[in-house]
Amino acid sequence: MPLIPTTPAPNEIHQLHLDQLDAFLRESELILEAWNIYSDEHTDLDGWPHDDDAYGRRAAQRDADTANAFEAVREQARQLLATAEIQLASLPARAVQNRWVWQLGTLRDALDRLDALHDEWHQALDGLSADARPGTEVFNDALAIHHAEAWSSLDDWTTHGHAIRDIHDAAPHAPSALAPAPTTTAASVPGRHSPARR
């Protein structure tokens, strides 16, 4: 007799999203730690790079790696924030950390900036010549600029994303404490002419 597939419970889906957030936080922190080591070793006492070109390439790699790591979180980021806000409102005052409201606001502002930059990225793609494909210098340069502009907002998620997990751990684990699932999901392919968000 064939097995009947079961739909994951809301709590199970939310837990999966939290696990993906945790994975991003671990990866992005490792990326930042490696960058800090590189920066310390390749700058003088005043913070000026020994080799501007090499330093710039290494910074671009940091930006791209962080952006790629965030792709596993991007589609569910707004639902994670919405659920954290619902959970935070359900907590007794004694269980609330004062920084959580500010951190959630920082994460939401960062996500808004990332969405706006995503739209600008696709506008920039539309302005490139037809032969500017992934792997070409023109495309890669444009993508590097996009990643550089997004990095500070991604760094906000690296720095403050743990607040979502902290709130979840402090909140009662009940389906009623979860935000409803969005009706649409975002695509994460950064290709030309994609109408969906990265």
Side-chain angles (χ1 to χ4, degrees):
M1 189 172 182
L3 295 175
I4 300 174
T6 58
T7 302
N11 280 347
E12 293 174 341
I13 295 173
H14 185 61
Q15 184 60 54
L16 174 62
H17 293 170
L18 286 170
D19 292 344
Q20 291 169 331
L21 174 63
D22 290 342
F24 162 73
L25 292 174
R26 288 191 299 270
E27 186 173 355
S28 61
E29 287 165 1
L30 289 173
I31 292 167
L32 184 58
E33 181 181 346
W35 163 253
N36 288 335
I37 292 171
Y38 174 89
S39 183
D40 288 344
E41 293 177 349
H42 293 83
T43 55
D44 61 23
L45 294 177
D46 295 322
W48 293 100
H50 300 311
D51 183 330
D52 286 340
D53 289 340
Y55 194 83
R57 288 192 299 272
R58 183 61 181 80
Q61 187 63 54
R62 173 205 64 186
D63 300 344
D65 289 345
T66 307
N68 291 335
F70 190 69
E71 286 305 320
V73 180
R74 179 181 293 279
E75 290 187 10
Q76 58 268 13
R78 289 204 180 275
Q79 189 176 8
L80 282 167
L81 282 171
T83 294
E85 289 168 349
I86 291 172
Q87 291 174 328
L88 183 59
S90 73
L91 287 172
R94 67 180 182 279
V96 174
Q97 298 289 327
N98 291 334
R99 57 183 168 81
W100 285 345
V101 172
W102 174 80
Q103 286 179 301
L104 292 183
T106 298
L107 293 173
R108 187 171 294 282
D109 288 346
L111 193 57
D112 288 343
R113 290 193 301 271
L114 290 170
D115 283 347
L117 286 170
H118 170 80
D119 291 340
E120 292 176 10
W121 163 240
H122 283 286
Q123 292 173 11
L125 283 179
D126 289 339
L128 296 179
S129 60
D131 59 351
R133 297 182 177 87
T136 63
E137 183 176 357
V138 172
F139 182 95
N140 290 348
D141 287 348
L143 184 58
I145 291 171
H146 169 67
H147 285 157
E149 292 172 338
W151 186 80
S152 65
S153 297
L154 293 171
D155 189 51
D156 282 341
W157 272 81
T158 299
T159 304
H160 301 292
H162 61 83
I164 291 174
R165 165 64 75 174
D166 293 343
I167 292 168
H168 172 80
D169 290 344
H173 299 169
S176 61
L178 302 180
T183 55
T184 60
T185 57
S188 60
V189 179
R192 177 184 291 276
H193 303 302
S194 170
R197 296 191 179 280
R198 279 181 73 231

